[in-house]
């Protein structure tokens, strides 16, 4: 892949920084310095030159693009980068990237490895919170209701719950590992049955739901998974069923989810992601069996530090012709 | 111990039910029927006879007492039961019982075995909630702040946290098992070093705190553990330190805890129990690094079912002269 090794400071390998103009670069200053000491970071929004001419002038030399957050990458944009070989994404989900780029042989790395543990912690936290009503309990205490009402409603035990994991990648596997320690049983669905795990596999999410008390959504949002959790799946999950979503909002038909929750056709939900962020359906605000967090499952300093390291490892690997560590498969 | 076997329905073994008059019996009706089919359940508060004369009349035959919830058992009360051999407690903590009764040879069973998993789940839920700010995130979303403020503050990763467990009994052991799956490291203090576990042991809680990021309190409240978590321990735990309390409120000097939290001398706290329940220090209500639940760590139907079974198993074991299953050691 790499046709020359990085040698001199003045010949640092070029990396195009792709971001929405409105995005402040969420990179730690010391990490930015670290990147700049090893790579020639081209950021069109930092140049006085008009964006289009800046891009056209550098495009023939841009083999690597680092995309910040959820800055969209369209097919049209990719056509302007004829020699692009690698996209380094700083997110776990890639639904902002035109993935048919794979057909051109462009390789994509993502941040799932850096984020998996924190996202899994958040998923488990949301699940305990919904089943044991912790956020609602906190609201009860702060609302000074304890001395008045005395008895707080019973929650539900985590142990023995049948948890169906939708997408058993790096995040889903971390969720499974944690929930086993609580005595949950695990099953999963994913694009393909995984030979390396012994959990029961269901070929479709409806069958998984029919055999689960809880669904945890950790899969990528693609054309195939858009609205995969619809009313049919929720009904199959049942009246006490709980859905945890740490994937993407549009994995769920949010309108049907709200109907099922408001109508008591589901047991509860723990949601970190929504269809129209930062807007959250206000019908959910009155429900005690719902826990709502603002797309913050990856939000720890440790996650971002791991991400920084992952980015550098992948960039260095690419330019020294070594294996990348977090390539997203297009299967 | 038992000098006769239960034989005839009319000769059912006698069990005194001890409860505060204000306590509604929190037993499931079908469980009460089950108990009454196997034991002669004597409840002074169900008799028209005055309490004292009822108790005096039956006392010579009362070898077993079942105490409901936190109904206090004083030394004076125990003196009125000269042939008492067994107290079956329906709680995990026994601080409402005059434990010098042990010196008379009275055996006490508690509910820790039935409650351990649910209490541990709650402890872990509170810890994730504090570190990852889940209840505060839920408040942020419901308060419609997400579209206004955009960025929610970073939380803290669970993995690699050094967790010190105070009291490694059935509850503490379940907490440890769960937190290992999150990548935490475990150490503990308890009355004695346990030969059966390999976690590092600290002889006192201050040393444990000095070597921990998180303390989880799961020990009994006794004269020795009253206010064991004082300002000195909190300072040793450090500015980012977190305390989770699923034991009893008075394990902590609550006044000093409030001072440390309000003054930023601690990282946060997840509290299910308080010194003066149902009153919770109102200084905590404005803090986002604190999660407050209303003494509900055992509150699941599954816990109560397990408790019912544990009570029956212990009562049947006693009257058939077999080993009890949840005897509390007085060491």
């Amino acid at each position: 892949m790499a046709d020359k090794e990085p040698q001199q400071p003045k010949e640092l390998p070029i990396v195009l920084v792709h971001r929405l103009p409105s995005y402040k670069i969420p990179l730690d200053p010391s990490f930015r310095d670290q990147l700049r000491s090893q790579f020639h970071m081209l950021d069109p929004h930092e140049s006085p030159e008009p964006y289009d001419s800046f891009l056209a002038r550098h495009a023939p030399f841009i083999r690597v693009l680092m995309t910040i957050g959820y800055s969209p990458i369209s097919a049209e944009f990719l056509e302007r980068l004829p020699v692009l070989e690698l996209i380094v994404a700083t997110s776990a989900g890639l639904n902002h990237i035109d993935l048919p780029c794979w057909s051109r042989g462009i390789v994509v790395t993502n941040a799932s490895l850096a984020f998996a543990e924190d996202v899994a912690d958040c998923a488990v936290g949301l699940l305990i919170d919904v089943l044991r009503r912790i956020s609602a309990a906190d609201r009860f205490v702060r609302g000074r209701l304890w001395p008045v009402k005395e008895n707080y409603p019973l929650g539900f035990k985590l142990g023995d719950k049948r948890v169906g994991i939708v997408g058993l990648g790096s995040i889903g596997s971390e969720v499974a590992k944690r929930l086993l320690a609580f005595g949950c049983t695990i099953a999963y669905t994913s694009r393909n049955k995984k030979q390396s795990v012994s959990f029961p596999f269901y070929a479709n999410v409806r069958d998984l739901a029919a055999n689960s008390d809880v669904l945890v959504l950790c899969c990528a949002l693609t054309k195939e998974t858009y609205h995969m959790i619809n009313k049919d799946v929720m009904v199959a999950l049942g009246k006490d069923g709980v859905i945890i979503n740490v994937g993407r909002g549009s994995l769920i038909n949010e309108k049907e989810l709200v109907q099922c929750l408001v109508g008591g056709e589901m047991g509860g939900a723990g949601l970190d992601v929504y269809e129209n962020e930062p807007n959250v359906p206000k019908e959910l605000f009155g429900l005690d069996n719902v826990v709502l967090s603002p797309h913050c499952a990856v939000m720890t300093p440790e996650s971002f530090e791991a991400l920084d390291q992952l980015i550098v490892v992948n960039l260095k690997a690419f330019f020294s012709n070594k294996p990348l560590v977090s390539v997203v498969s297009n299967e």
Side-chain angles (χ1 to χ4, degrees), chain A:
Chain A
M1 283 195 291
D3 54 3
K4 60 176 181 179
E5 299 290 319
Q7 309 270 328
Q8 314 291 334
K10 51 191 160 194
E11 292 184 53
L12 292 176
I14 293 170
V15 176
L16 178 69
V17 177
H18 178 66
R19 60 178 172 109
L20 289 173
S22 62
Y23 266 44
K24 295 170 195 102
I25 295 194
L27 304 173
D28 180 73
S30 72
F31 176 60
R32 291 176 67 181
D33 292 346
Q34 187 191 344
L35 279 179
R36 285 178 174 153
S37 71
Q38 299 181 73
F39 310 100
H40 183 174
M41 305 301 289
L42 282 180
D43 184 344
H45 298 297
E46 285 186 343
S47 165
E49 190 177 348
Y51 182 91
D52 287 342
S53 90
F54 181 96
L55 194 64
R57 191 160 61 82
H58 288 96
F61 313 102
I62 293 170
R63 298 165 55 215
V64 177
L65 177 155
M66 178 170 95
T67 177
I68 307 293
Y70 308 120
S71 311
I73 297 186
S74 65
E76 293 71 31
F77 174 74
L78 290 173
E79 278 169 18
R80 298 164 76 177
L81 300 169
V83 300
L84 189 70
E85 294 175 46
L86 172 67
I87 298 173
V88 174
T90 61
S91 58
L94 299 178
N95 51 301
H96 55 298
I97 301 179
D98 183 81
L99 285 180
C101 68
W102 274 323
S103 65
R104 232 180 78 189
I106 296 172
V107 172
V108 183
T109 65
N110 76 348
S112 287
L113 270 182
F115 292 160
E117 293 181 354
D118 276 329
V119 176
D121 290 352
C122 186
V124 174
L126 286 171
L127 178 56
I128 303 177
D129 205 321
V130 171
L131 289 176
R132 300 301 308 275
R133 304 179 184 280
I134 293 179
S135 287
D138 182 86
R139 210 155 46 233
F140 180 85
V141 173
R142 287 178 200 243
R144 296 167 166 76
L145 292 175
W146 192 9
V148 183
K149 296 202 175 178
E150 289 187 22
N151 287 327
Y152 187 70
L154 294 184
F156 299 94
K157 190 186 181 82
L158 220 66
D160 298 330
K161 287 284 175 294
R162 298 167 304 161
V163 177
I165 296 184
V166 181
L168 197 68
S170 47
I171 294 169
S173 302
E174 292 288 340
V175 172
K177 184 173 108 182
R178 285 154 177 72
L179 289 179
L180 286 173
F182 290 83
C184 297
T185 58
I186 305 290
Y188 74 105
T189 187
S190 63
R191 277 170 289 205
N192 301 299
K193 185 173 184 337
K194 294 179 189 291
Q195 301 308 320
S196 56
V197 300
S198 58
F199 305 130
F201 168 75
Y202 290 87
N204 68 73
V205 72
R206 201 200 156 281
D207 289 350
L208 180 68
N211 290 282
S212 297
D213 304 305
V214 174
L215 288 183
V216 182
L217 312 184
C218 321
C219 63
L221 175 62
T222 63
K223 278 179 194 160
E224 292 72 32
T225 62
Y226 177 83
H227 280 198
M228 74 189 297
I229 310 295
N230 56 23
K231 181 157 184 184
D232 188 38
V233 173
M234 296 175 215
V235 168
L237 188 61
K239 276 180 77 73
D240 293 327
V242 171
I243 292 178
I244 303 298
N245 191 3
V246 290
R248 284 288 178 272
S250 296
L251 295 171
I252 305 182
N253 183 322
E254 195 167 272
K255 200 174 153 188
E256 293 181 359
L257 175 73
V258 169
Q259 284 170 353
C260 284
L261 285 166
V262 170
E265 292 170 83
M266 269 181 60
L271 307 172
D272 187 53
V273 288
Y274 310 86
E275 285 215 71
N276 185 27
E277 299 174 6
N279 299 303
V280 178
K282 59 180 186 306
E283 297 91 331
L284 302 179
F285 293 170
L287 301 181
D288 270 355
N289 57 341
V290 171
V291 182
L292 307 165
S293 62
H295 201 150
C296 62
V298 306
M299 295 295 207
T300 70
E302 292 91 343
S303 258
F304 290 126
E305 200 172 301
L307 171 63
D308 292 351
Q309 290 173 11
L310 187 62
I311 291 170
V312 171
V313 165
N314 274 320
L315 291 176
K316 286 173 83 167
F318 177 83
F319 289 114
S320 56
N321 215 4
K322 289 183 178 152
L324 300 164
V325 296
S326 59
V327 174
V328 181
S329 157
N330 63 350
E331 282 168 8

